[in-house]
Amino acid sequence: MKVSYKWLSEYVDLSDITPYELAEKLTRSGIEVETVEPRNAGVSNVVVGYVKERSKHPDADRLSVCIVDAGQGEDLQIVCGAPNVAQGQKVPVALIGAKLPGGLHIKKSKLRGVESQGMICSAKELGLNDKLLAKDQQEGILVLPEDAEVGMDAVSYLGLDDYVLELGLTPNRSDCLSMIGVAYEVAAILGRDVMLPEIAVTENGGDNPVSVRIEAEDHCYRYVGRHFTGAKITSSPQWMKNRLMAAGIRPINNVVDVTNYVMLEYGQPLHAFDATKVKDRSIVVRLAQDGEKLVTLDDQERTLDSQTLLIADEEKGLAIAGVMGGANSEITDETTEIILEAAWFTPQTVRRTARTLGMRTEGCVRWEKGVDQARVQEAGERAAALIQQLSGAAVSKGVASAVVREAKPAVVTITLEKINQHLGTSLTAADVSAIFDRLRFSYEQNGSTWTVTVPTRRGDITLPEDLVEEVARLYGYDNIPTSLPSGQTTQGQLTRDQRLRRTIRHHLIGAGLHEAITYSLVHAERVGDVAGLHRIDAKPISLAMPMSEEHSVLRTSLIPGLLQTIAYNKNRQNHDVAVFELGSVFLTTEEKLTQLPEERLYVAAALTGQWLPQNWMGANQPVDFYLVKGLADSLLTRLGIVGATYKPVSDLAGMHPGRTAEVWVGERRLGYLGQIHPAMERAYDVSETYVFQFDLAELAEAAEDAGYYKPLPKFPAVTRDLALVVDRDVPAAALEAAIRQAAGELLESLTLFDVYTGERIAADKKSVAFSLVFRHPERTLQDDEIQQVTAAVVDALKAQTGAELRM
């Protein structure tokens, strides 16, 4: 929002405060002023002159010799090179000694032998933004209106003796998107009165022929129409042009300029229609039909949909509500009869339309952030008075109006105790009441409790905390004392879940994997490629407006994203990849969502190629099932999860039926690991790939919180290796369980170090070798003790699994 300092001073007395001081006070109260820019770019000693005579230069075809009355007592002879200079014009004249932007100093000179006593200036030479001028004023000298007084200071006449404060508003402060809104804010800061413009509309025409009907009641709450006849479309007076240009708006004509002027003044966007182009002077506020078209004021044909709010007559659309008018009802130089619109459209409707059509106007900005519904008619009356004043139009009697819903001010209750508790201050009830008075908030006070009726212009205030913020702003943030927190405090630390996630990340990175972050959105055809961890009939969750087909459905497993990562690396000649991801999946059993899906945290890893290519021994170690199982084992051990068992499974989607196992701890299913199905490997164009995937919630339930420590042993250990021959279908876990049960407390550790099938073993048998480490914490073990325990282990293995010692 660009605020003219001179314009603002008409609403609030700023006689004793400079623009820069005002900017400082506004910023300190929470309304950031980004820049303070003087409109005068370095112009001095430039006055309004009148061209009395113009003749051709005797020695130059493109130069003119002008006799100019500049109010200096004597006429000036000025040589001018502009092609548009003519007798009878009012023009800006830089006198001898004048200074212009860019360091230009005007001196008496001769041009082709003819003396020149000054310079007739163009808009650019005065530092004006010529893009905000009419096309006929952008080239050549600047021709001033007839009402310009000869000899007066051109800087003052053109409004260059002004400053523009550019406000960087937060979205909640839409009230400051108007001059009056800023005036209320400044008056509250300075403790001064607000002087609102006087509105005087004389209804000197016939009866108002305009009728208004609101069909889209959920999108438009109020519509007011004024009717004018006998209007004369001309250029706006210079004072209005100056204020519009200071705000960055190009003047067009007196009627359109009034709508923009009042929009800046009240924050209420308005629109004017040529009434002769509105059938039966009937206004209908309705939703457009799908595919309905309208050519807007920028001469672009817009295709509308059924959610676009349209201002129409009984036959055609006239304007896109809150966004832009239609060319078919535009105010032109021939317009004499006018319908003025003042309405209130819902911010959501205007925001959606502007985004859909890719349009962004000053009106859109205000509608999106909120317009004061209670001031719709007041703003319309202000515009009506100005149109009547500037165009000479007759105002028809009565106002055409339709109201669906009235604006209701918010009522908020606050106590002195709450204010002081939040701010750490010792304000009195009188201090707070004085602040509410400065804000012009009406209230009822009962001791130290206030029931505040918030003006509708302040739509950002709905809660007691909002009033606390207002008190803080007006009291002054610099006046709020510094205080340390009181009461019992606790040491900051990670939650259990945060520690778990951090431990998992650190462990897998330390094990040699790289963390990946993949999209939570996948292609609709890829969502069910690889099984998740919850055996439910999970339904795909599709986005309503996806950015692309590749990212249109929420994932139910982390594996597809990791497979895409492996494929991406493979395509760039990186064939040895080990990655993991810790992220969310989204699950629901509903075809159409009626409640939020369940969000679960998974951790998954995918490995392919060589795990240790060309290690120090010179041998490659390709990724296989046992490597991934070892990584999973090490992770579970790091988390304090003991007693994990691995159960073969053959029906998991996307997984190899003979090389996949589920991981269980007791009755708790933690996840699974194994090889990706060859068909799925081909679909993703990856080589042989192994994965694991765990549910973090299940890991958290199975994990032990505290780490444990054991003293270094004082007595030596004894190691015994057992090579066992068993049936091929006997799992190693069964052998391990039998050994642990038979060995008892003396068994310190048990390691499976070899599995063999081959020529020396029967076809239906396998050789499984374990290393057993025995130790007593308080003494050295004797050989006979070890023999007894070993014999007990062998007997138990034979009885429970049919295992025989391999000779």
Side-chain angles (χ1 to χ4, degrees):
M1 174 69 181
K2 293 184 176 181
V3 176
S4 163
Y5 174 80
K6 287 187 68 176
W7 190 2
L8 182 63
S9 64
E10 292 190 1
Y11 308 111
V12 184
D13 180 13
L14 301 177
S15 57
D16 60 343
I17 185 169
T18 68
Y20 297 98
E21 292 171 342
L22 178 61
E24 176 69 16
K25 290 181 180 295
L26 279 168
T27 300
R28 286 183 177 274
S29 70
I31 304 295
E32 181 185 3
V33 179
E34 295 180 345
T35 59
V36 179
E37 183 179 353
R39 290 202 68 206
N40 190 340
V43 178
S44 65
N45 206 21
V46 178
V47 299
V48 176
Y50 175 71
V51 181
K52 299 174 69 174
E53 297 178 18
R54 172 192 174 277
S55 59
K56 182 178 175 298
H57 192 288
D59 295 326
D61 293 338
R62 297 185 179 181
L63 296 180
S64 302
V65 179
C66 302
I67 304 301
V68 180
D69 177 8
Q72 305 302 304
E74 296 182 0
D75 292 342
L76 305 177
Q77 177 177 281
I78 298 176
V79 178
C80 180
N84 66 325
V85 66
Q87 181 178 345
Q89 291 175 336
K90 298 284 184 69
V91 293
V93 177
L95 304 175
I96 301 299
K99 295 181 180 180
L100 298 178
L104 180 62
H105 292 247
I106 304 303
K107 302 177 182 178
K108 185 183 291 187
S109 60
K110 285 187 177 183
L111 296 175
R112 293 289 184 94
V114 177
E115 185 178 84
S116 182
Q117 298 173 310
M119 185 174 83
I120 301 176
C121 302
S122 67
K124 270 189 177 180
E125 289 165 339
L126 294 175
L128 293 172
N129 183 356
D130 59 351
K131 293 182 180 179
L132 298 178
L133 298 173
K135 290 184 178 180
D136 60 348
Q137 293 182 310
Q138 294 179 8
E139 297 180 1
I141 61 168
L142 178 63
V143 179
L144 302 176
E146 287 296 325
D147 64 356
E149 183 181 341
V150 173
M152 76 175 298
D153 185 6
V155 169
S156 176
Y157 181 76
L158 295 172
L160 298 180
D161 55 343
D162 193 8
Y163 293 81
V164 175
L165 286 69
E166 185 163 358
L167 309 184
L169 297 174
T170 51
N172 63 313
R173 291 307 304 269
S174 61
D175 59 300
C176 287
L177 285 170
S178 67
M179 295 298 299
I180 290 177
V182 176
Y184 275 112
E185 181 70 17
V186 171
I189 294 170
L190 301 179
R192 298 177 182 177
D193 292 332
V194 176
M195 298 169 285
L196 297 178
E198 294 184 4
I199 300 175
V201 179
T202 303
E203 294 183 339
N204 53 353
D207 292 336
N208 189 348
V210 177
S211 64
V212 175
R213 184 172 79 253
I214 300 176
E215 294 181 354
E217 295 186 351
D218 291 336
H219 304 274
C220 176
Y221 294 169
R222 179 186 290 268
Y223 195 100
V224 178
R226 269 289 192 182
H227 182 258
F228 305 82
T229 57
K232 184 179 180 181
I233 308 302
T234 63
S235 178
S236 297
Q238 191 63 41
W239 63 267
M240 181 172 283
K241 290 181 179 179
N242 293 342
R243 291 179 177 181
L244 291 176
M245 288 191 289
I249 295 177
R250 181 170 64 89
I252 298 174
N253 59 53
N254 52 353
V255 173
V256 175
D257 290 352
V258 165
T259 62
N260 287 329
Y261 182 87
V262 175
M263 178 185 68
L264 294 173
E265 187 175 43
Y266 277 82
Q268 170 67 49
L270 305 166
H271 188 67
F273 302 95
D274 187 326
T276 63
K277 299 174 183 178
V278 179
K279 182 175 175 58
D280 298 332
R281 292 10 177 216
S282 176
I283 297 292
V284 182
V285 184
R286 63 174 174 84
L287 292 174
Q289 298 176 357
D290 277 323
E292 188 171 352
K293 299 182 184 298
L294 178 68
V295 177
T296 48
L297 290 172
D298 56 1
D299 294 325
Q300 299 293 316
E301 185 178 68
R302 311 285 179 176
T303 301
L304 313 179
D305 61 23
S306 60
Q307 295 300 309
T308 301
L309 188 62
L310 200 62
I311 309 302
D313 59 20
E314 299 296 346
E315 292 183 344
K316 62 185 179 299
L318 302 173
I320 301 173
V323 179
M324 187 175 288
N328 58 3
S329 57
E330 180 182 7
I331 299 295
T332 66
D333 292 344
E334 289 74 36
T335 298
T336 59
E337 186 182 351
I338 299 167
I339 296 174
L340 176 67
E341 165 196 285
W344 197 90
F345 310 119
T346 60
Q348 299 89 334
T349 299
V350 177
R351 184 185 304 115
R352 182 199 173 279
T353 300
R355 184 177 67 246
T356 301
L357 297 178
M359 304 173 72
R360 189 76 171 170
T361 63
E362 286 286 339
C364 288
V365 171
R366 286 160 174 80
W367 282 122
E368 290 176 3
K369 292 179 171 58
V371 172
D372 184 2
Q373 185 182 348
R375 278 203 162 145
V376 171
Q377 188 155 346
E378 182 182 340
E381 292 299 281
R382 169 64 166 163
L386 287 171
I387 290 175
Q388 185 175 43
Q389 173 189 338
L390 300 182
S391 72
V395 181
S396 299
K397 297 174 183 176
V399 177
S401 176
V403 180
V404 174
R405 191 179 306 174
E406 294 282 358
K408 293 182 179 179
V411 178
V412 183
T413 300
I414 189 74
T415 65
L416 180 64
E417 180 184 5
K418 185 179 184 70
I419 293 172
N420 283 327
Q421 182 181 10
H422 274 63
L423 300 181
T425 54
S426 301
L427 295 173
T428 65
D431 294 332
V432 175
S433 294
I435 289 174
F436 289 155
D437 290 337
R438 287 161 58 189
L439 288 165
R440 287 167 178 75
F441 290 179
S442 61
Y443 58 86
E444 293 181 4
Q445 184 177 355
N446 182 10
S448 59
T449 300
W450 292 265
T451 301
V452 180
T453 302
V454 183
T456 53
R457 60 184 168 83
R458 290 299 304 273
D460 59 309
I461 299 177
T462 57
L463 303 171
E465 287 73 16
D466 297 327
L467 289 177
V468 173
E469 180 184 0
E470 293 301 298
V471 172
R473 291 193 315 107
L474 272 296
Y475 178 64
Y477 293 125
D478 293 344
N479 297 323
I480 296 176
T482 301
S483 59
L484 293 175
S486 60
Q488 187 175 6
T489 60
T490 57
Q491 181 182 358
Q493 61 182 355
L494 300 177
T495 65
R496 185 174 187 271
D497 288 343
Q498 288 172 332
R499 291 198 306 272
L500 179 70
R501 293 197 295 270
R502 180 172 292 189
T503 299
I504 291 172
R505 281 193 173 95
H506 288 181
H507 179 81
L508 294 178
I509 291 171
L513 280 72
H514 297 276
E515 184 172 10
I517 300 176
T518 64
Y519 284 107
S520 296
L521 299 165
V522 297
H523 195 289
E525 296 178 357
R526 300 265 76 95
V527 67
D529 281 349
V530 182
L533 296 178
H534 295 78
R535 294 199 170 192
I536 61 173
D537 185 18
K539 304 298 183 183
I541 304 169
S542 301
L543 296 191
M545 298 178 64
M547 292 184 296
S548 69
E549 188 178 1
E550 293 296 320
H551 305 104
S552 58
V553 178
L554 288 170
R555 65 188 177 187
T556 58
S557 171
L558 300 182
I559 302 299
L562 294 179
L563 293 180
Q564 290 177 338
T565 300
I566 289 176
Y568 181 89
N569 280 269
K570 178 187 174 185
N571 293 337
R572 286 153 183 79
Q573 306 306 313
N574 182 19
H575 299 280
D576 304 320
V577 182
V579 292
F580 78 93
E581 180 173 10
L582 198 158
S584 295
V585 299
F586 306 87
L587 308 171
T588 185
T589 57
E590 296 182 310
E591 291 284 354
K592 184 176 182 181
L593 286 180
T594 60
Q595 57 187 0
L596 290 176
E598 182 183 9
E599 183 174 348
R600 306 281 297 193
L601 270 176
Y602 285 4
V603 59
L607 299 91
T608 189
Q610 301 295 319
W611 174 241
L612 292 175
Q614 292 297 321
N615 60 27
W616 66 275
M617 296 179 64
N620 291 335
Q621 183 180 351
V623 172
D624 59 12
F625 177 88
Y626 299 104
L627 174 65
V628 174
K629 179 177 178 293
L631 286 172
D633 270 337
S634 69
L635 176 61
L636 298 180
T637 302
R638 178 66 181 83
L639 298 177
I641 299 174
V642 295
T645 58
Y646 297 84
K647 299 179 181 179
V649 61
S650 60
D651 60 346
L652 286 181
M655 299 300 295
H656 195 299
R659 299 181 182 178
T660 302
E662 291 182 332
V663 185
W664 293 76
V665 173
E667 299 299 318
R668 190 181 302 280
R669 180 174 179 264
L670 304 182
Y672 64 82
L673 56 86
Q675 182 186 344
I676 295 296
H677 196 287
M680 197 58 59
E681 291 172 346
R682 290 192 295 272
Y684 281 88
D685 191 24
V686 298
S687 303
E688 187 173 309
T689 301
Y690 292 85
V691 301
F692 68 71
Q693 185 165 230
F694 293 115
D695 186 329
L696 255 69
E698 300 294 343
L699 291 179
E701 289 294 329
E704 295 184 5
D705 277 335
Y708 57 91
Y709 302 89
K710 295 191 297 185
L712 292 174
K714 298 179 180 179
F715 300 95
V718 178
T719 302
R720 292 289 186 270
D721 293 342
L722 293 180
L724 306 171
V725 178
V726 295
D727 293 339
R728 284 202 176 194
D729 59 356
V730 175
L735 300 173
E736 181 177 336
I739 294 172
R740 291 186 182 279
Q741 181 181 9
E745 295 180 354
L746 293 181
L747 182 65
E748 183 179 78
S749 66
L750 174 63
T751 304
L752 171 67
F753 67 88
D754 184 52
V755 177
Y756 173 75
T757 57
E759 297 177 356
R760 300 179 183 179
I761 302 293
D764 60 343
K765 301 288 185 179
K766 63 181 177 182
S767 172
V768 182
F770 290 94
S771 177
L772 288 71
V773 177
F774 300 97
R775 191 194 307 267
H776 196 286
E778 297 178 355
R779 59 184 176 81
T780 301
L781 292 173
Q782 302 299 317
D783 285 342
D784 58 346
E785 290 180 281
I786 302 300
Q787 292 296 340
Q788 291 176 9
V789 173
T790 303
V793 167
V794 172
D795 292 341
L797 286 169
K798 184 174 182 179
Q800 297 179 29
T801 66
E804 299 282 353
L805 283 177
R806 182 182 175 189
M807 300 299 180

